[in-house]
Amino acid sequence: MFKGKLALITGSTSGIGAGIAKELAGKGANLIINGLGDLNEINQFCAKLQKDYGIQATYLAADMTDSDSIEQMMKKINHDLGGVDILVNNAGIQFVSPVEDFPVEQWNRVIEINLNSSFHTIRLAVPSMKQKKWGRIINIASAHALIASPFKSAYVAAKHGIAGLTKTIALEVATDGITVNAICPGYVWTPLVQAQIPVTAKTRGITEQQVIDDVMLKAQPTKKFVTIEEVAGLASYLSTDIAGSITGSIISIDGGWSAQ
Ligand code: NAD
């Protein structure tokens, strides 16, 4: 389905990004894997993708906090690999704190990774997509692009920003064969969510089980975590030709959370 296409998935060394990488590889896309982690493990992940799916998987270690590093990665992709066809802006972090104690450097870091990095990858990917008259930009936002939760001011601000960026770029490239959409998952069981359980328990003065039942799954009428495979399946669908009229959309996949 995506044979001959090149997909860049930021933050694809873990969680949702790794799931999207597998899904797109399974449909024939060549991949740029990006993200933090142990280099041996990342190389093994790329080798397994190549072996399992018969595609090319290249690791580029750009730091999503650093615009120069992103620019170098995108230049390399444009010059050496013919440009990105499917751009999935997925890298993200969370930081939980009451606003009056929110460390300024953590605020800046969340905004850089969760919002600014997508501006940089998009601005540097769009020219080659325009030349090819085809492109797919998928921003992994969050239910927090639509709804707020206390103590997540930077994350909610960044994700609401991503929704605005998605709509704006969709309008700018609408006649170029490029679609731009945001996927808004509810809680997905990944390292990002697991890491915030103890800190949320401490901030709210409740147990870790209460965080799962009364904070996370309370918000989701299905009472289930969204799966990585469900998010990856939606990203894959948005990358197809048949999804060509879906653009500027902010798409929820949250077990009914935002319907309330
Ligand atoms: P994760 O922690 O499993 O993965 C995050 C990825 O981002 C990792 O590959 C990590 O290495 C990468 N990353 C972090 N800092 C980076 C940096 N400076 N430079 C490059 N890469 C960096 O988390 P996840 O849950 O898979 O989250 C992926 C995306 O999905 C995020 O944007 C997150 O906000 C969003 N999301 C997650 C959930 C959820 O419940 N897990 C819900 C809604 C949205």
Side-chain angles (χ1 to χ4, degrees):
M1 187 181 276
F2 303 131
K3 214 170 168 32
K5 303 282 190 215
L6 179 66
L8 163 62
I9 305 123
T10 69
S12 44
T13 53
S14 167
I16 293 169
I20 294 173
K22 280 186 217 157
E23 174 71 24
L24 297 182
K27 302 227 162 94
N30 293 322
L31 303 178
I32 307 293
I33 298 296
N34 160 265
L36 310 178
D38 176 78
L39 192 54
N40 276 334
E41 283 176 20
I42 295 170
N43 286 337
Q44 277 172 27
F45 179 53
C46 290
K48 187 162 166 40
L49 288 167
Q50 299 195 150
K51 184 165 167 279
D52 289 354
Y53 303 113
I55 52 98
Q56 286 298 315
T58 308
Y59 173 58
L60 294 177
D63 178 353
M64 290 296 131
T65 62
D66 178 1
S67 60
D68 289 341
S69 176
I70 298 171
E71 194 150 343
Q72 272 174 26
M73 174 177 75
M74 297 306 289
K75 273 192 179 146
K76 185 171 172 55
I77 295 171
N78 285 331
H79 291 153
D80 300 352
L81 299 167
V84 175
D85 302 295
I86 301 169
L87 169 62
V88 184
N89 288 308
N90 167 79
I93 56 167
Q94 176 62 280
F95 196 88
V96 180
S97 166
V99 71
E100 63 273 30
D101 302 327
F102 213 109
V104 171
E105 65 277 15
Q106 293 297 347
W107 170 277
N108 289 337
R109 201 169 158 73
V110 172
I111 300 291
E112 277 161 3
I113 298 176
N114 294 20
L115 177 59
N116 295 356
S117 71
S118 299
F119 160 64
H120 294 299
T121 54
I122 290 171
R123 74 182 170 83
L124 296 162
V126 157
S128 83
M129 289 180 176
K130 278 188 170 174
Q131 265 178 10
K132 295 182 205 173
K133 283 275 172 202
W134 197 93
R136 293 287 182 267
I137 299 173
I138 299 165
N139 299 319
I140 305 302
S142 165
H144 283 117
L146 301 163
I147 287 167
S149 294
F151 314 122
K152 296 183 176 176
S153 53
Y155 188 85
V156 172
K159 295 297 187 181
H160 275 64
I162 279 287
L165 182 69
T166 299
K167 293 192 232 179
T168 306
I169 309 304
L171 299 181
E172 291 185 23
V173 299
T175 57
D176 294 297
I178 306 169
T179 67
V180 190
N181 292 292
I183 293 180
C184 299
Y187 285 102
V188 187
W189 191 251
T190 68
L192 180 141
V193 159
Q194 289 156 29
Q196 64 188 277
I197 291 172
V199 62
T200 304
K202 201 169 162 218
T203 310
R204 293 185 181 232
I206 57 179
T207 66
E208 294 190 12
Q209 192 58 45
Q210 283 172 316
V211 173
I212 293 175
D213 295 337
D214 301 342
V215 179
M216 293 177 169
L217 295 185
K218 185 178 175 217
Q220 292 186 190
T222 52
K223 301 296 170 212
K224 287 193 295 199
F225 285 94
V226 177
T227 68
I228 288 174
E229 291 73 21
E230 288 167 343
V231 179
L234 180 53
S236 173
Y237 176 69
L238 290 173
S239 303
T240 60
D241 284 330
I242 198 75
S245 293
I246 304 176
T247 195
S249 293
I250 311 299
I251 304 169
S252 292
I253 175 165
D254 62 8
W257 179 357
S258 57
Q260 297 167 100

